[in-house]
């Protein structure tokens, strides 16, 4: 880490961010077949493509949780949403939405068409949410959740099928191909850090704070320490899927930003490791002391000693910088866990 006034040099592998007990609805704990997760391959690694046990600042849970074998969580059939019936046409916002387990085409042309339609509709749905809804309160609307889940599932599929992925990129418009390539590459990087769990394992998950509340907290941390909010958001996405994963990591990292206790003591500034606002400030403090914003690669490598982790975080951050709607899409990405029997989803419809 670079020396900063009043900031101690980070003890390399250890930081544990405070998980804060938030007044959010606690989602039921699921007992899942355990998989051996790599210390730093926090559960979060597999999280976005990502749901792999990575050790964010000590061992994150976000990826592992997100990449975990997909658990079939019964989701409401979006197509029967009453709102869609009133909506005149070409944009069936609440009807004709992809089911939680909608089949993913295997043919590159059909897959590119499905991804293109989904991505376009998702961005329209996010615009509607921000314009007529209130991202500072409550959950994302059903169209955003279902379209984002399908897009996430497509990216995860492509991350595991590189030949199909290459052919699919060539059939997408340039900007959409670039976005898909970044997301698929980030997920593939995180999955490379995952170790399937065997045997029962309990992972505590809960609903995240509202999207705009988190965005405000990211920006506060940026103003104080100069670390770009998109980088902080990308770290939280990979570590705990924006706070959905509340269990300590395999190596004992805690909180929404997955700090090891020793690192938290040095950089937590007396805050609560389980509190999201405190955890984000501590993460910004640590990254700043480790070289950010001058050298994000160095800072992120200090946070998690994995080049794949660093690459994945920067790819997700780049997408958020290009279009803030990508932040809202990532916000609704679900938690997966990888077991010896496959990938299961722990959250979402």
């Amino acid at each position: 880490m670079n020396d900063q006034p009043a900031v101690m040099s980070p003890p390399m592998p250890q930081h544990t961010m405070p998980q804060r007990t938030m007044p959010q609805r606690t989602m039921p704990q699921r007992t899942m077949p355990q998989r051996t997760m790599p210390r730093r391959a926090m559960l979060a690694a597999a999280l976005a493509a990502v749901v792999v046990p990575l050790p964010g600042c000590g061992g994150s849970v976000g990826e592992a949780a997100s990449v975990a074998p997909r658990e079939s969580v019964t989701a409401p059939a979006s197509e029967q949403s009453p709102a869609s019936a009133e909506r005149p046409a070409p944009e069936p916002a609440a009807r004709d939405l992809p089911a939680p387990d909608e089949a993913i085409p295997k043919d590159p042309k059909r897959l590119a068409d499905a991804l293109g339609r989904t991505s376009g509709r998702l961005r329209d749905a996010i615009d509607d949410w921000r314009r007529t809804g209130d991202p500072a309160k409550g959950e994302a609307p059903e169209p955003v959740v279902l379209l984002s889940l399908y897009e996430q599932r497509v990216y995860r599929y492509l991350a595991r099928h590189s030949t199909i992925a290459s052919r699919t990129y060539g059939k997408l418009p340039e900007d959409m191909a670039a976005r898909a390539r970044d997301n698929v590459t980030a997920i593939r990087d995180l999955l490379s850090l995952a170790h399937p769990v065997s045997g029962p394992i309990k992972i505590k998950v809960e609903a995240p704070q509202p999207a705009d509340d988190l965005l405000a907290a990211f920006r506060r941390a940026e103003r104080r320490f100069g670390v770009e909010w998109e980088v902080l958001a990308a770290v939280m996405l990979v570590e705990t899927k924006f706070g959905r994963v509340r269990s300590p990591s395999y190596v004992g990292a805690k909180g929404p930003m997955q700090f090891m206790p020793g690192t938290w003591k040095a950089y937590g500034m007396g805050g609560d490791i389980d509190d999201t606002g405190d955890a984000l400030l501590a993460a910004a403090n640590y990254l700043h002391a480790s070289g950010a914003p001058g050298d994000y690669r160095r800072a992120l490598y200090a946070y998690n000693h994995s080049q794949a982790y660093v690459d994945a975080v920067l790819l997700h951050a780049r997408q958020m910088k290009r279009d803030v709607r990508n932040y809202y899409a990532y916000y609704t990405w679900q938690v997966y866990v990888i077991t010896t029997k496959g990938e299961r989803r722990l959250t979402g419809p």
Side-chain angles (χ1 to χ4, degrees), residues 40-62:
R40 285 256 161 181
M42 37 184 181
L43 294 178
L47 251 155
V50 177
V51 171
V52 170
L54 290 176
C57 246
S60 44
V61 210

Side-chain angles (χ1 to χ4, degrees), residues 284-348:
N285 183 13
Y286 183 87
L287 290 170
H288 182 232
S290 300
D295 190 342
Y296 278 114
R297 286 194 168 276
R298 176 188 168 197
L300 289 167
Y301 189 81
Y303 202 93
N304 188 319
H305 297 346
S306 163
Q307 200 55 57
Y309 174 91
V310 173
D311 291 344
V313 168
L314 291 177
L315 286 170
H316 285 316
R318 178 164 73 181
Q319 284 303 310
M320 286 185 270
K321 289 176 188 176
R322 287 180 174 173
D323 188 339
V324 71
R325 289 176 296 184
N326 290 326
Y327 161 69
Y328 291 94
Y330 288 148
Y331 172 79
T332 52
W333 275 19
Q334 304 303 330
V335 174
Y336 283 82
V337 168
I338 297 172
T339 72
T340 52
K341 296 184 178 180
E343 180 177 284
R344 303 183 67 183
R345 191 175 77 244
L346 300 183
T347 60

Side-chain angles (χ1 to χ4, degrees), residues 176-231:
M176 196 173 292
R179 182 167 66 240
R181 189 178 288 106
D182 277 1
N183 283 305
V184 171
T185 301
I187 289 171
R188 185 181 296 133
D189 285 342
L190 291 171
L191 288 174
S192 73
L193 302 175
H195 289 270
V197 176
S198 61
I201 181 173
K202 289 184 178 179
I203 296 177
K204 181 181 179 183
V205 295
E206 65 183 34
Q209 289 183 250
D212 279 1
D213 281 1
L214 286 177
L215 184 55
F218 292 137
R219 286 174 165 155
R220 277 194 298 273
E222 177 181 32
R223 287 193 296 273
R224 180 162 177 180
F225 291 100
V227 178
E228 294 170 340
W229 75 261
E230 295 92 342
V231 172

Side-chain angles (χ1 to χ4, degrees), residues 1 92 95 114 122 129 135 153 164 187 201 206 233 262 291 294 345:
M1 315 180 140
R95 69 181 169 86
L122 172 58
W129 179 26
R153 290 178 56 234
I164 294 176
I187 289 171
I201 181 173
E206 65 183 34
R345 191 175 77 244

Side-chain angles (χ1 to χ4, degrees), residues 140-155:
E142 183 183 50
V144 173
V145 172
L146 290 173
L147 291 164
S148 178
L149 173 58
Y150 188 72
E151 185 179 62
Q152 180 188 10
R153 290 178 56 234
V154 167
Y155 290 151

